[in-house]
């Protein structure tokens, strides 16, 4: 199958190594992976801020770039949720574009959901290769969990590579990032992420694993600013690919 890989802005600009881990996983599943060079943003910042015109332009661009593929894989719950859920709203007043999006939606998947439920990958590149010897804990991103139903999939895959997951308190609770929310309501955002970091520490895990770059940068940044230089913060793809 031909898979279009949407790598997201944050992976592209902040953590490109995660993108290579995703490529390794998709190729291990036997996929022909194509990364459209013209791809940019999915439009979530504009949509969340009420700029429907800018979000709509990016949504049209996304459809034109990715509708040719058998599947589209996105290693981010927030970007995946924006494409699968909110693009339908953006195209609701345009029957032609709405029809194109309705054809595309069933082929758009978050990474771990794709690995579990489409290709059903049994042999993961990271089996027996994880440098983490202790437990890890998993943080569920709001969009991945509530818009895409991603919860059991990453945990099942981590178990396959031999990583022990210990659940932190309130693992389904927001990390406080929320895009522009962290800028507009900095004090509230800081209080929320402080609670998340405390729950990570109390779990006794050596690393916190997640599937959304916004959450990753927010949690890692707060851990480091509060003096924690030991707890590892990893994207699930890095462990599954054997790159952590």
């Amino acid at each position: 199958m031909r898979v279009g890989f949407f790598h997201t802005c944050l992976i592209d600009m902040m953590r490109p190594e995660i993108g290579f881990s995703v490529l390794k996983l998709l190729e291990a599943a036997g996929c022909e992976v194509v990364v459209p060079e013209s791809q940019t943003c999915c439009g979530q910042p504009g949509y969340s801020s009420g700029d429907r015109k800018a979000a709509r332009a990016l949504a049209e661009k996304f459809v034109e770039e990715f509708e040719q593929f058998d599947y589209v894989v996105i290693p981010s719950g927030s970007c995946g949720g924006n494409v699968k859920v909110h693009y339908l709203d953006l195209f609701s007043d345009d029957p032609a574009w709405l029809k194109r999006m309705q054809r595309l939606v069933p082929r758009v998947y978050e990474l771990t959901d794709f690995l579990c439920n489409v290709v059903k990958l049994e042999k993961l590149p990271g089996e027996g290769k994880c440098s983490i010897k202790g437990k890890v804990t998993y943080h569920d991103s709001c969009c991945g969990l509530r818009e895409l139903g991603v919860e059991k999939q990453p945990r099942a895959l981590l178990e396959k590579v031999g990583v022990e997951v210990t659940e932190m308190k309130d693992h389904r609770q927001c990390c406080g990032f929320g895009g522009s929310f962290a800028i507009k309501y900095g004090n509230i955002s800081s209080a929320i992420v402080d609670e998340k970091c405390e729950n990570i520490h109390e779990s006794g895990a050596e690393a916190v694993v997640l599937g959304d770059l916004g959450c990753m940068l927010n949690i890692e940044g707060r851990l480091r600013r509060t003096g924690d230089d030991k707890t590892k913060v990893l994207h699930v793809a890095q462990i599954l690919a054997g790159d952590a």
Side-chain angles (χ1 to χ4, degrees), residues 94-114:
D94 189 324
W97 275 102
L98 181 61
K99 188 174 182 179
R100 290 173 71 176
M101 191 62 216
Q102 287 172 332
R103 287 196 296 263
L104 179 57
V105 162
R107 292 178 277 136
V108 177
Y109 279 82
E110 183 272 342
L111 173 67
T112 61
D113 195 22
F114 180 77

Side-chain angles (χ1 to χ4, degrees), residues 138-153:
Y138 195 88
H139 163 71
D140 296 290
S141 81
C142 296
C143 295
L145 178 67
R146 293 168 179 81
E147 295 180 342
L148 303 178
V150 174
E151 183 174 17
K152 295 180 179 178
Q153 301 93 319

Side-chain angles (χ1 to χ4, degrees), residues 169-198:
K169 178 184 176 183
D170 297 329
H171 59 83
R172 294 162 59 98
Q173 184 170 301
C174 180
C175 74
F177 178 59
S180 60
F181 175 86
I183 299 172
K184 294 178 179 178
Y185 306 101
N187 291 338
I188 299 174
S189 173
S190 295
I192 294 172
V193 73
D194 280 342
E195 185 173 330
K196 177 64 65 173
C197 291
E198 182 179 342

Side-chain angles (χ1 to χ4, degrees), residues 143-236:
C143 295
L145 178 67
R146 293 168 179 81
E147 295 180 342
L148 303 178
V150 174
E151 183 174 17
K152 295 180 179 178
Q153 301 93 319
R155 290 169 172 82
L157 292 168
L158 288 169
E159 185 178 343
K160 280 188 178 182
V161 298
V163 175
E164 183 179 356
V165 179
T166 180
E167 299 292 0
M168 73 174 96
K169 178 184 176 183
D170 297 329
H171 59 83
R172 294 162 59 98
Q173 184 170 301
C174 180
C175 74
F177 178 59
S180 60
F181 175 86
I183 299 172
K184 294 178 179 178
Y185 306 101
N187 291 338
I188 299 174
S189 173
S190 295
I192 294 172
V193 73
D194 280 342
E195 185 173 330
K196 177 64 65 173
C197 291
E198 182 179 342
N199 292 338
I200 292 168
H201 289 144
E202 289 181 354
S203 74
E206 182 180 336
V208 56
V209 183
L210 28 70
D212 196 299
L213 264 289
C215 302
M216 183 178 190
L217 296 175
N218 190 46
I219 291 172
E220 184 174 28
R222 194 61 176 173
L223 287 170
R224 302 300 177 252
R225 285 194 298 274
T226 53
D228 181 348
D229 295 321
K230 294 182 179 180
T231 303
K232 297 178 181 179
V233 184
L234 299 166
H235 192 282
V236 64

Side-chain angles (χ1 to χ4, degrees), residues 3 5 22-31 33 73 111 114-115:
V3 172
F5 172 30
V22 175
L23 286 171
K24 187 185 294 186
L25 290 166
L26 294 176
E27 289 172 351
C31 301
V33 187
V73 173
L111 173 67
F114 180 77
L115 296 177

